[in-house]
Amino acid sequence: VGTGIVVSDRHKKFTTLLVGCMLALTSNTSDASPRDTVNLTQEWTSRYGLRFGYVYLNKAETSKHFVSNHLSTVGLESQQTLAGGSWLDILFIQNLMVSGLDQSVMAPSLSLLVGLEINKKLQLGVGPNISIADPSKQEHYVHLVTAIGYTMDAGLLSVPIHFSFIPDVEDFYRVGVTTGVNW
């Protein structure tokens, strides 16, 4: 015998999430970890740097602006890190790049990423990329960018190596690798 109430999958998921949050908030904290007894302060650090590298722009040769799929890129990057107190930090990245100068084309783009940094070396990020150049001519100026990078210490400086991927609905995706120096 049914009750006449139909519960959708969305309601089941929401209820499960709500119950999980309530259990997490009311759980017993008598088994305190050493972290709970230490007074951790939130510390922000900043790094700035120059970037240069290579970008592959799929189907670039079909655009009247580019003669090749292979583009040089140069720019600036700013990173802010919120210390997590151990091996994991929160990461914010602002990146301004200009690609195509080797083809006498100026294609600037701005990326704003949020992510994480593991052991002050490995970085993962995702966010919006805005470019005034649209080789597809479909007015697609905003894209998603995902990136992964590794930073090596070099005394007072550091050397990052970053890989990025920017998908596009018209298949004008971009893949890039950059390096440079941070201070």
Side-chain angles (χ1 to χ4, degrees), residues 23 59 103 165 178:
L23 289 174
K59 295 178 19 177
Q103 298 182 33
F165 175 67
T178 60

Side-chain angles (χ1 to χ4, degrees), residues 39-169:
N39 183 13
L40 295 176
T41 60
Q42 292 183 334
E43 180 181 325
W44 284 93
T45 57
S46 295
R47 293 182 289 228
Y48 308 94
L50 304 171
R51 297 291 181 270
F52 58 91
Y54 165 82
V55 172
Y56 175 81
L57 174 57
N58 192 50
K59 295 178 19 177
E61 73 283 357
T62 64
S63 168
K64 68 177 185 174
H65 299 294
F66 300 100
V67 295
S68 171
N69 296 35
H70 310 280
L71 309 170
S72 66
T73 189
V74 296
L76 301 169
E77 187 169 285
S78 174
Q79 301 177 2
Q80 297 80 39
T81 308
L82 177 60
S86 183
W87 59 272
L88 184 65
D89 300 329
I90 303 294
L91 183 64
F92 296 96
I93 298 174
Q94 304 83 41
N95 179 291
L96 177 62
M97 301 296 286
V98 177
S99 299
L101 293 176
D102 58 321
Q103 298 182 33
S104 297
V105 176
M106 189 168 169
S109 70
L110 172 68
S111 297
L112 304 171
L113 293 95
V114 63
L116 52 98
E117 184 175 58
I118 300 169
N119 288 329
K120 308 220 180 296
K121 300 280 185 210
L122 180 65
Q123 295 122 9
L124 304 165
V126 64
N129 172 271
I130 302 164
S131 177
I132 63 170
D134 177 24
S136 72
K137 302 293 183 220
Q138 300 293 317
E139 297 185 14
H140 296 156
Y141 302 112
V142 179
H143 295 86
L144 177 74
V145 59
T146 58
I148 185 169
Y150 185 80
T151 299
M152 299 165 282
D153 290 331
L156 296 175
L157 305 173
S158 61
V159 178
I161 298 175
H162 292 151
F163 298 93
S164 62
F165 175 67
I166 301 172
D168 182 75
V169 296

Side-chain angles (χ1 to χ4, degrees), residues 20-36:
C21 288
M22 289 173 41
L23 289 174
L25 291 173
T26 60
S27 66
N28 185 358
T29 58
S30 62
D31 295 332
S33 69
R35 177 187 164 118
D36 295 334

